[in-house]
């Protein structure tokens, strides 16, 4: 889609240029596609600020958990069902890594294609009211389509013009709240992805008492006043991958079909009744082999089994799956990039940053006050997660 590609190029052009970053992968001689830029899809902030137990509870906490914590370019929804004993239990988890911006372009340029795409995911054709809060999108111009779709389905993505148009941070309509179509957390944006990757695509070095050396990631973050980037899974990995490559004089570019992709899971780490889970319990879609952007894992409604009947094997130990966070921990997500051959890094290519080798203490990050408030809200909600019963998911 030309409009989508133009949007990508405009976002790249807005960032500081590095001679090692190429906007077109075809410009890299002997370029090879790699998939080494990847990270865990599990939200890191609640774990840094609290602990793993609370990270799991808050991340699995209904739409509130998704909207507050799922900022690793991987959002999920836990689907529940009532078992024969009347208990509400997790049935399966639906993951997405699809960028919000692509869907907004589709909403502006091809309402019928948008309607079909939603139908392919939720199994029914959505109404125009659900998509645009309007009965006939053909009567709306592209700006109106963008604003209305953002209000109902996509949220504002931290875009200033949408905020000024009173588009909320998260969608008001049910389509992308009761279901999960694509990423809506404002930090999970195309512009953020491009910024972090291009930020890392420079050979940074340090001069200290031992001489000249390659900079540490925390030194780079501190030098530019973006220490908060160290306190997620996505941003350090998205910056470190290009940084390691360009430090060897290699050129780097996003692969064609820029997007966030879910890496394949090893089915053998899941156990059900002493065996591997059925193949049908892991379903990828929205993309091609190795480049999928949607994953549904767990039994179907027709299966007399539940997500919490499945165990996750961790070496000699096993852990019963009670929600989406445990799967997100092992689910890797990231873009595909193209890299070139090593070359000489000229002194003029290098940027020096001050030495500051101590680790960044993420438990003291500003976001932790918000995570603690989220914990308090969770406790006051009287939602209890215990054993195989999960209320309020």
């Amino acid at each position: 889609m030309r409009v989508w590609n133009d949007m990508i190029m405009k976002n790249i052009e807005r960032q500081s240029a590095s001679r090692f970053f190429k906007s077109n992968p075809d410009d890299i001689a002997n370029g090879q596609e790699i998939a080494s830029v990847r990270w865990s899809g599990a939200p890191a902030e609640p774990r840094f600020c609290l602990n793993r137990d609370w990270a799991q509870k808050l991340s699995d906490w209904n739409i509130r958990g998704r909207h507050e914590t799922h900022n690793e370019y991987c959002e999920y929804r836990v689907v529940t069902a009532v078992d024969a004993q009347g208990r509400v239990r997790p049935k399966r988890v639906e993951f997405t890594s699809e960028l919000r911006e692509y869907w907004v372009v589709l909403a502006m340029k091809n309402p019928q294609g948008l309607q079909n795409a939603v139908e392919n995911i939720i199994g029914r054709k959505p109404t125009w009211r659900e998509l645009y809060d309007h009965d006939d999108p053909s009567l709306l111009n592209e700006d109106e389509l963008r604003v209305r779709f953002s209000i109902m389905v996509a949220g504002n993505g931290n875009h200033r013009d949408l905020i000024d148009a009173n588009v909320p941070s998260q969608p008001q309509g049910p389509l992308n709240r009761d279901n999960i179509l694509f990423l809506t957390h404002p930090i999970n944006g195309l512009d953020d992805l491009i910024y972090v990757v291009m930020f890392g695509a420079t050979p940074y070095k340090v001069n200290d008492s031992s001489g000249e050396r390659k900079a540490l990631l925390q030194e780079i973050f501190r030098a530019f006043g973006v220490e908060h980037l160290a306190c997620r899974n996505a941003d350090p990995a998205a910056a470190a991958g290009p940084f390691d490559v360009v430090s060897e004089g290699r050129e780097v570019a996003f692969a064609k079909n820029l997007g966030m992709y879910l890496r394949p899971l090893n089915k053998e780490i899941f156990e059900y009744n002493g065996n591997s889970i059925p193949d049908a319990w892991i379903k990828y879609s929205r993309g091609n082999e190795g480049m999928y952007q949607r994953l549904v894992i767990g039994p179907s409604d027709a299966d007399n089994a539940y997500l919490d009947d499945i165990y996750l094997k961790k070496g000699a130990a096993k852990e019963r799956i009670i929600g989406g966070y445990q799967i997100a921990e092992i689910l890797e997500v990231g873009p595909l990039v193209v890299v070139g051959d090593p070359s000489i890094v000229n002194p003029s290519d290098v940027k020096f940053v001050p030495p500051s080798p101590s680790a960044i203490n993420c438990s003291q990050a500003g976001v932790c006050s918000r995570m603690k408030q989220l914990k308090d809200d969770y406790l006051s909600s009287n939602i209890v997660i215990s054993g195989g019963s999960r209320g309020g998911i």
Side-chain angles (χ1 to χ4, degrees):
M1 185 186 297
R2 182 182 59 80
V3 176
W4 171 239
N5 291 330
D6 288 346
M7 179 181 292
I8 293 171
M9 293 303 301
K10 287 179 181 178
N11 273 277
I12 290 175
E13 290 168 359
R14 281 198 291 265
Q15 306 301 331
S16 298
S18 162
R19 83 167 180 90
F20 294 101
F21 185 89
K22 301 297 182 182
S23 58
N24 186 348
D26 292 338
D27 292 339
I28 298 178
N30 302 318
Q32 294 186 343
E33 185 173 297
I34 64 170
S36 61
V37 182
R38 61 177 73 184
W39 53 85
S40 165
E45 289 175 344
R47 184 164 185 169
F48 277 131
C49 297
L50 302 168
N51 55 43
R52 181 177 183 261
D53 182 56
W54 273 109
Q56 179 173 299
K57 288 176 180 176
L58 297 180
S59 300
D60 285 354
W61 186 24
N62 204 348
I63 193 68
R64 181 80 185 275
R66 176 186 171 191
H67 286 173
E68 294 277 357
T69 70
H70 294 191
N71 59 2
E72 305 285 3
Y73 289 93
C74 178
E75 298 179 18
Y76 64 85
R77 165 185 176 244
V78 180
V79 180
T80 61
V82 179
D83 69 9
Q85 288 73 44
R87 298 176 298 169
V88 177
R89 297 171 62 186
K91 190 72 172 175
R92 57 188 170 273
V93 188
E94 300 173 347
F95 293 89
T96 185
S97 64
E98 283 203 70
L99 293 170
R100 169 194 177 279
E101 289 84 354
Y102 175 81
W103 282 75
V104 172
V105 169
L106 193 61
M108 294 167 58
K109 298 294 183 178
N110 188 359
Q112 187 62 62
L114 170 70
Q115 194 177 50
N116 293 338
V118 174
E119 181 181 16
N120 288 338
I121 292 175
I122 70 174
R124 67 171 179 83
K125 192 177 292 293
T127 66
W128 295 128
R129 279 282 171 187
E130 289 178 296
L131 293 169
Y132 298 106
D133 195 26
H134 195 279
D135 290 326
D136 187 354
S138 67
L139 301 178
L140 304 172
N141 63 39
E142 289 187 359
D143 287 341
E144 291 170 327
L145 291 171
R146 176 172 175 258
V147 170
R148 285 177 170 273
F149 178 74
S150 296
I151 291 173
M152 295 300 293
V153 187
N156 63 42
N158 270 347
H159 293 279
R160 173 47 57 186
D161 64 324
L162 291 178
I163 294 172
D164 292 343
N166 296 317
V167 177
S169 175
Q170 294 290 347
Q172 291 181 345
L175 277 180
N176 209 4
R177 294 170 63 92
D178 296 347
N179 305 284
I180 187 162
L181 303 177
F182 54 87
L183 303 170
T184 63
H185 195 294
I187 294 177
N188 294 336
L190 173 67
D191 50 351
D192 291 283
L193 169 64
I194 291 174
Y195 162 75
V196 174
V197 169
M198 293 187 68
F199 174 80
T202 295
Y204 296 102
K205 289 188 176 182
V206 163
N207 264 324
D208 60 15
S209 57
S210 62
E212 186 178 302
R213 62 170 173 82
K214 181 181 175 182
L216 301 173
L217 204 57
Q218 61 261 31
E219 293 173 320
I220 303 171
F221 288 157
R222 281 199 181 99
F224 292 91
V226 290
E227 293 96 327
H228 63 281
L229 296 183
C231 299
R232 302 186 190 115
N233 291 324
D235 296 323
F243 174 52
D244 290 340
V245 167
V246 302
S247 295
E248 299 175 348
R250 298 175 185 268
E251 294 178 333
V252 62
F254 288 112
K256 292 181 178 178
N257 300 316
L258 170 60
M260 285 302 214
Y261 300 106
L262 303 172
R263 310 298 188 215
L265 286 170
N266 177 10
K267 185 173 73 75
E268 301 307 314
I269 66 175
F270 299 101
E271 181 180 297
Y272 172 69
N273 282 346
N275 300 303
S276 297
I277 63 173
D279 291 342
W281 289 9
I282 298 182
K283 294 181 180 178
Y284 289 94
S285 60
R286 302 293 299 169
N288 302 310
E289 186 71 32
M291 298 175 66
Y292 291 116
Q293 297 178 288
R294 183 174 179 82
L295 166 65
V296 179
I297 183 164
S300 71
D301 290 338
D303 291 309
N304 187 26
Y306 294 81
L307 187 71
D308 56 8
D309 291 324
I310 302 173
Y311 285 83
L312 185 63
K313 292 187 283 189
K314 296 186 171 183
K318 294 190 296 186
E319 180 180 83
R320 188 162 58 88
I321 299 176
I322 61 172
Y325 181 84
Q326 295 153 285
I327 302 172
E329 283 185 304
I330 59 171
L331 181 60
E332 292 183 324
V333 61
L336 300 175
V337 299
V338 173
V339 300
D341 294 332
S343 67
I344 295 174
V345 177
N346 300 316
S348 59
D349 297 324
V350 175
K351 286 187 179 180
F352 285 89
V353 297
S356 181
S358 60
I360 294 173
N361 185 357
C362 289
S363 66
Q364 301 300 314
V367 71
C368 289
S369 60
R370 183 164 58 83
M371 290 297 105
K372 290 171 184 174
Q373 182 60 56
L374 189 63
K375 174 185 174 182
D376 291 342
D377 293 348
Y378 178 95
L379 290 170
S380 66
S381 74
N382 295 316
I383 294 179
V384 177
I385 300 181
S386 177
S389 177
R390 296 176 61 84
I393 293 178

